[in-house]
Amino acid sequence: MERDLSVLESHTEQWLREVLAQARHVLVFTGAGVSQESGIATFRDPSEGLWARFHPQELATPEAFDRNPALVWTWYEWRRALIANAEPNAAHLAIAQMQQQLRRVTVVTQNVDDLHERAGAAQVLHLHGLLAAARCRQCSAPWQHHGLTAGVEPPQEPREPPRCEHCGGYIRPGVVWFGESLPTATWDAAAQASTDCDLVFSVGTSSLVYPAAELPHNARHNGATVVQVNPEPTALDDTAHLNLRGKAGPIMAAIADLCSA
Ligand code: BV8
Ligand code: ZN
């Protein structure tokens, strides 16, 4: 498929072609910006509807859930519906293509959507969990979603979360909230990949949330080449060897094409 390679100036293209050809292990690290072109709002975007008066970071906490389980549960159920109605975009597809074409590509995401998987990516490491997973807030018994309970329109009324059949506790989303620790095995695998890789693409993340945001810095510290893709400056700008200013879709598609060239 003919792609518009003009998103990359020719000298950048040549440099990227060389680093991709030499790369032994590529780490692709993504944030909410990689799903933005699928129509999924980022954490920097303002909330809507019932949640308009909240910043997402205020809702993504155990305290917010315990204080108002219906409001937080309904927010996640709406996000789950938006994701189910969204399609992977050119960036997700390009990253999956890179995994096919390069020697070794580890995909690490901060996102709780399954768009990387639906684009064909394998062994995706979800540092902050997955919306598709749910469990009991009290006894952690896993809980299986049965279809969607919201549509793409922001719900008008908050709905109580379901109750755990074992202990009666509220069911909560299977995501990592602020103040909660990351899943140990996932974090260890991601940290190991950041130490072992020789090329990092940091795509669509404000690089502000820790410990996830450590990964590209750790890779750079271990001698990797760091490339960032983001339309805005971020906290990673000074660490990246190359900052590609623009949207993930066209840029990652152009980069993936350099792999097959
Ligand atoms: C922990 C799941 C400890 C839920 C999420 C003070 C200093 C440093 C750290 C801290 C601190 N105070 C507290 C902390 C720790 C805290 C933290 O880092 N806070 C930050 C805000 C300072 N971290 C934690 O709490 C973590 N846990 O530290 O535990 C601990 C240890 C032991 C025992 C117990 C506890 C857990 C953090 C995980 C929180 N959960 N998500 C959910 O999804 O609802 S984080 C959530 O926000 C996302 O997953 C994501 O990681 C983050 C938002 O970041 P981004 O993905 O970067 O998205 P964002 O909107 O910010 O940026 C989008 C970017 O895309 C922008 O740059 C934009 O320009 C760009 N973009 C837009 N369109 C496009 C694009 N790019 C490309 N193409 C486009 N089209
Ligand atoms: Zn329970």
Side-chain angles (χ1 to χ4, degrees), residues 26-79:
V26 177
L27 168 62
V28 177
F29 175 60
T30 66
V34 83
S35 297
Q36 188 270 335
E37 289 156 84
S38 297
I40 305 296
T42 70
F43 266 66
R44 306 291 127 199
D45 295 331
S47 304
E48 295 172 63
L50 294 170
W51 306 278
R53 64 184 190 280
F54 297 100
H55 188 284
Q57 276 174 2
E58 297 170 288
L59 293 165
T61 70
E63 294 76 22
F65 181 82
D66 294 342
R67 198 171 38 246
N68 194 333
L71 184 78
V72 175
W73 175 259
T74 308
W75 181 55
Y76 279 97
E77 282 299 276
W78 176 45
R79 286 175 60 191

Side-chain angles (χ1 to χ4, degrees), residues 136-141 163-171:
C136 174
R137 174 81 176 111
Q138 305 311 328
C139 73
S140 296
R163 292 280 183 174
C164 169
E165 61 185 345
H166 307 291
C167 76
Y170 278 128
I171 299 302

Side-chain angles (χ1 to χ4, degrees), residues 30-34 36-37 42-45 57 60 75-76 79 110-112 128 175-182 203-211 229-234 246-249:
T30 66
V34 83
Q36 188 270 335
E37 289 156 84
T42 70
F43 266 66
R44 306 291 127 199
D45 295 331
Q57 276 174 2
W75 181 55
Y76 279 97
R79 286 175 60 191
Q110 301 170 86
N111 301 338
V112 296
H128 298 153
V175 300
V176 177
W177 280 327
F178 288 98
E180 294 188 320
S181 41
L182 278 55
V203 187
T205 177
S206 55
S207 303
L208 293 174
V209 174
Y210 282 81
V229 179
N230 197 312
E232 311 281 333
T234 77
K247 292 193 158 208

Side-chain angles (χ1 to χ4, degrees), residues 33-248:
V34 83
S35 297
Q36 188 270 335
E37 289 156 84
S38 297
I40 305 296
T42 70
F43 266 66
R44 306 291 127 199
D45 295 331
S47 304
E48 295 172 63
L50 294 170
W51 306 278
R53 64 184 190 280
F54 297 100
H55 188 284
Q57 276 174 2
E58 297 170 288
L59 293 165
T61 70
E63 294 76 22
F65 181 82
D66 294 342
R67 198 171 38 246
N68 194 333
L71 184 78
V72 175
W73 175 259
T74 308
W75 181 55
Y76 279 97
E77 282 299 276
W78 176 45
R79 286 175 60 191
R80 202 162 64 83
L82 291 172
I83 290 162
N85 285 280
E87 290 300 323
N89 66 58
H92 297 110
L93 294 166
I95 290 163
Q97 183 188 331
M98 289 167 72
Q99 254 191 343
Q100 303 287 333
Q101 283 167 336
L102 296 174
R103 287 187 201 88
R104 185 177 175 200
V105 177
T106 303
V107 180
V108 176
T109 188
Q110 301 170 86
N111 301 338
V112 296
D113 64 51
D114 60 351
L115 294 172
H116 279 302
E117 288 86 348
R118 285 163 55 193
Q123 280 104 36
V124 178
L125 297 173
H126 284 268
L127 296 179
H128 298 153
L130 260 168
L131 252 186
R135 64 174 186 271
C136 174
R137 174 81 176 111
Q138 305 311 328
C139 73
S140 296
W143 187 82
Q144 190 61 41
H145 282 290
H146 307 284
L148 297 172
T149 63
V152 292
E153 289 308 311
Q156 296 306 310
E157 286 297 317
R159 300 161 63 131
E160 285 283 295
R163 292 280 183 174
C164 169
E165 61 185 345
H166 307 291
C167 76
Y170 278 128
I171 299 302
R172 56 155 291 171
V175 300
V176 177
W177 280 327
F178 288 98
E180 294 188 320
S181 41
L182 278 55
T184 312
T186 307
W187 171 250
D188 290 348
Q192 175 56 37
S194 78
T195 300
D196 181 67
C197 73
D198 44 12
L199 175 59
V200 180
F201 289 96
S202 181
V203 187
T205 177
S206 55
S207 303
L208 293 174
V209 174
Y210 282 81
E214 252 170 56
L215 296 174
H217 295 280
N218 183 49
R220 170 82 197 247
H221 179 73
N222 283 279
T225 299
V226 179
V227 177
Q228 180 175 217
V229 179
N230 197 312
E232 311 281 333
T234 77
L236 189 66
D237 274 34
D238 296 344
T239 301
H241 293 93
L242 175 66
N243 286 301
L244 296 172
R245 281 272 180 275
K247 292 193 158 208

